[in-house]
């Protein structure tokens, strides 16, 4: 979150990709920092997935990532 | 005064850090033995030791509610209301309040108490906010303990690029004590967002600027002047040209605030000069929303847009102050707002006659914005003591000086026609012999300031011939 | 200051918008844009981000890769500065 805010403040619009397990932490940090980055959520869990499964998750998220990199905020 | 759920009987308010409270510990035990005694302790809940009904009042809520100013204080409560109290230790008074005889026979007859913690300067303001019913109308912003509060202000885009003092509730409350105006009073709608600008918002930005509470009346007057329709603050913020609001202060408030009208008057180093100008710009930026890169499209801007405020030297001037020129009664404090650019120097260290010196001023004035751009401009001349001396010794009034400058800055059109001097800018051709004045009628003002050594005066350039901003003066009120 | 205390500030703005930090405008298109991919260092995140990078390459979108020393610390200043100089948009992942 800090990295996203720092980049955003300096001219680079960021997109944060996170698993849904991060949702609560994201909300708390956003509120504390006064900053809400653009998010792309992927399904949890991540840690115990195979490489193949992770690549599929990335493929499924790709179009949303592309769209949100250029979407108006 | 009604007490919150204190039982009928006696109430003693004490703190351990008070020699008199320690002195009367045996008396408290006597009173406890003789009837109902409730002890409120302000600092240490274990004092006095070993007594049954000691109430921890380290939050000071009960002391504040009872209006305690001194400890120890002994009160009698009957049917939920205070009937009488004794302040400090005085045997006769304590026996009167308690109805118990022979109190503290080994003690001196009386001993003064100490200040109650509710009167401590560090806590009094915090208590007024927490317990005194003072509420802020503005939104509150919570900063977590992991976040540096100075960085937090930068991150929320409240800063003009320099660090600001975080506007905590206590600081804003203290700043509001500097004015009698109601914090909820709306001074106007600040462009470009046209949001209501309350006295409270001015105080928050004055805190951020680093003002002292006593500067508030001047800051408020400056904000009011800027919100005056003729000043056109929206246009001043949005222009591509250089200008920002310049604040010139007249009257007794200058000395009261320790403002600088002497050496380096237009420069840095004086808290009132630097922070009053800055507070105004922070209000414009934060309440109005006009920021560089957004509505503020100034091509180059000027350092003065961080804040530009100074005081006129009235005491050593033979000419009337700017405020009097602008119609304010002599001796009344006022601020004059001018949409101005930077500081252009007039260096004339050799002229001995007023005629020659006036021509030096005029030659520099003719260069305002561009040497061939004439008609409808405005400027402020800041005349230094050494230069003023030349005119004073020759008996020139301010009116004569300005008239002379207006005359010397009125030139034949053909001298500054388009293309003359190989420069495209200039006046379109007119009939032969036609002249054009550089400045608007009532477009030239003169202020006296500066150190006593140095034959240098200055021009504060105005905006442009088509500028909609008019110089504006506002009386300072408490 | 103790942990979990908060400081209350009085909002000095016109409250025109929600209190939020500055946001940069997004590019209209990714053509000609270099996207920075910042790996925050959580386990398995690299596999995910590697795949995104492959897909970007297939799409003809330029990508530059960056990494943090660890997930619980902000990116080192040099990394941030490089991203400012070398990219026009950023992806930060994979948080969980």
């Amino acid at each position: 979150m800090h990295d996203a805010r720092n980049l955003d403040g300096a001219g680079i619009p960021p997109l944060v990709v996170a698993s849904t397990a991060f949702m609560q932490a994201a909300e708390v940090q956003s509120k504390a920092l006064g900053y809400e980055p653009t998010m792309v959520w992927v399904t949890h869990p991540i840690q115990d997935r195979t490489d193949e499964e992770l690549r599929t998750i990335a493929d499924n998220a790709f179009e949303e990532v592309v769209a949100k990199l250029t979407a108006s905020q | 005064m009604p007490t919150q759920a204190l039982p009928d009987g006696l109430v003693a308010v004490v703190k351990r850090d008070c020699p008199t409270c320690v002195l009367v510990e045996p008396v408290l035990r006597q009173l406890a033995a003789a009837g109902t005694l409730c002890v409120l302790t302000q600092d240490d809940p274990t004092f006095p030791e070993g007594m049954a009904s000691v109430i921890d009042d380290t939050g000071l809520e009960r002391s504040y509610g009872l209006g305690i100013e001194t400890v120890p204080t002994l009160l009698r409560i009957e049917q939920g209301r205070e009937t009488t109290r004794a302040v400090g230790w005085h045997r006769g008074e304590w026996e009167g309040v308690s109805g118990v005889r022979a109190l503290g026979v080994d003690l001196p007859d009386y001993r003064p108490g100490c200040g109650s913690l509710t009167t401590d300067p560090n806590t009094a303001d915090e208590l007024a906010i927490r317990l005194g019913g003072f509420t802020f109308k503005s939104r509150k912003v919570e900063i977590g303990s992991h976040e540096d509060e100075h960085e937090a202000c930068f991150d929320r885009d409240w800063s003009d690029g320099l660090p600001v003092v975080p506007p905590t509730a206590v600081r804003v409350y203290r700043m509001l004590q500097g004015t009698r105006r109601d914090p909820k009073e709306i001074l106007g709608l600040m462009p470009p967002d046209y949001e209501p600008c309350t006295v409270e918002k001015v105080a928050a930005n004055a805190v951020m600027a680093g003002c002292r509470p006593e500067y508030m009346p001047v800051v408020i007057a400056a904000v009011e002047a800027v919100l005056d329709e003729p000043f056109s603050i929206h246009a001043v913020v949005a222009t591509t040209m250089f200008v920002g609001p310049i604040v010139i202060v007249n009257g007794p408030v200058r000395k009261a605030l320790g403002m600088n009208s002497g050496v380096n008057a237009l420069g840095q180093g004086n808290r009132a000069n630097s922070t009053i100008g800055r507070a105004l710009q922070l209000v414009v930026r934060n309440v109005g929303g006009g920021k560089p890169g957004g509505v503020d499209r100034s091509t180059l801007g000027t350092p003065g847009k961080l804040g530009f405020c100074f005081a006129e030297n009235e005491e050593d001037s033979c000419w009337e102050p700017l405020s009097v020129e602008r119609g304010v009664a002599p001796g009344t404090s006022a601020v004059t707002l001018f949409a101005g650019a930077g500081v252009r120097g007039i260096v004339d260290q050799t002229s001995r006659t007023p005629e020659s010196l006036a021509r030096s001023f005029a030659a520099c004035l003719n260069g305002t914005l561009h040497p061939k751009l004439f008609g409808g401009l405005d400027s402020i001349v800041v005349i230094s003591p050494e230069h003023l001396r030349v005119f004073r010794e020759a008996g020139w009034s301010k009116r004569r000086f300005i008239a002379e400058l207006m005359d010397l800055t009125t030139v034949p059109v053909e001298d500054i026609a388009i293309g003359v001097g190989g420069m495209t800018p200039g006046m379109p051709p007119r009939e032969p012999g036609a002249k054009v004045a550089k400045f608007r009628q009532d477009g030239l003002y003169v202020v006296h300031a500066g150190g006593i050594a140095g034959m240098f005066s200055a021009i504060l350039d105005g905006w442009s011939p088509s500028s909609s901003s008019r110089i504006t003066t506002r009386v300072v009120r408490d | 200051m103790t942990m979990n205390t908060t400081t209350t500030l009085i909002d000095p703005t016109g409250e025109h918008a929600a209190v939020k930090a500055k946001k940069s405008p997004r590019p209209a298109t990714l053509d000609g844009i270099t996207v920075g991919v910042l790996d925050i260092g959580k386990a398995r995140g690299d596999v995910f981000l590697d795949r995104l990078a492959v897909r970007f390459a297939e799409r003809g979108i330029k990508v530059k890769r960056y990494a943090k020393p660890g997930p619980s610390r902000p990116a080192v200043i040099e990394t941030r500065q490089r991203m400012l100089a070398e990219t026009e948009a950023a992806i930060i992942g994979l948080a969980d």
Side-chain angles (χ1 to χ4, degrees), chain B residues 361-442:
Chain B
F361 275 66
C364 294
L365 282 166
N366 277 333
T368 298
L369 298 193
H370 188 287
K372 295 178 72 195
L373 191 61
F374 268 61
L377 300 189
D378 53 2
S379 283
I380 294 189
V381 170
V382 184
I383 187 165
S384 64
E386 288 230 53
H387 277 166
L388 181 58
R389 178 174 48 76
V390 174
F391 297 105
R392 182 178 66 246
E393 287 174 355
W396 282 35
S397 68
K398 188 189 248 197
R399 182 157 298 182
R400 178 171 176 191
F401 176 63
I402 293 178
E404 185 78 4
L405 292 180
M406 290 294 285
D407 187 56
L408 290 169
T409 55
T410 300
V411 304
V413 171
E414 63 210 16
D415 288 359
I416 52 155
I418 294 168
V420 163
M423 286 181 279
T424 307
M427 299 287 298
R430 296 249 307 268
E431 66 280 11
K435 289 185 154 196
V436 61
K438 180 91 175 179
F439 296 99
R440 244 182 336 105
Q441 206 55 38
D442 299 326

Side-chain angles (χ1 to χ4, degrees), chain B residues 139 141 143 167 195 201 286, chain C residues 7 9-11 13 15-17:
Chain B
R139 177 167 61 191
V141 176
I143 309 293
E195 295 293 340
K201 290 290 182 189
N286 286 322
Chain C
T7 303
L9 301 183
I10 303 303
D11 189 332
T13 72
E15 300 179 31
H16 191 67

Side-chain angles (χ1 to χ4, degrees), chain B residues 136 138-143 145 149 155-156 158 167-169 193 195 201 205 208 286-287, chain C residues 1-22:
Chain B
F136 291 97
S138 303
R139 177 167 61 191
K140 307 273 183 65
V141 176
E142 303 292 334
I143 309 293
S145 60
E149 55 184 36
D155 291 334
R156 282 155 184 76
W158 296 346
T168 62
D193 291 347
E195 295 293 340
K201 290 290 182 189
N205 284 280
M208 296 209 298
N286 286 322
V287 179
Chain C
M1 208 188 308
T2 61
M3 285 299 292
N4 299 326
T5 57
T6 56
T7 303
T8 302
L9 301 183
I10 303 303
D11 189 332
T13 72
E15 300 179 31
H16 191 67
V19 180
K20 47 181 200 248
K22 182 176 168 212

Side-chain angles (χ1 to χ4, degrees), chain C residues 3-51:
Chain C
M3 285 299 292
N4 299 326
T5 57
T6 56
T7 303
T8 302
L9 301 183
I10 303 303
D11 189 332
T13 72
E15 300 179 31
H16 191 67
V19 180
K20 47 181 200 248
K22 182 176 168 212
K23 288 194 150 189
S24 297
R26 297 197 166 277
T29 162
L30 293 183
D31 296 337
I33 297 287
T34 300
V35 177
V37 175
L38 176 63
D39 187 339
I40 64 169
K42 288 213 135 168
R44 316 291 287 132
D46 55 342
V47 177
F48 177 91
L49 295 174
D50 285 348
R51 182 62 184 166

Side-chain angles (χ1 to χ4, degrees), chain B residues 297-313:
Chain B
R297 303 169 302 139
S298 186
T299 307
L300 283 171
T302 101
K305 288 174 73 175
L306 271 172
F308 195 157
C309 171
F310 65 99
E312 177 165 17
N313 179 344

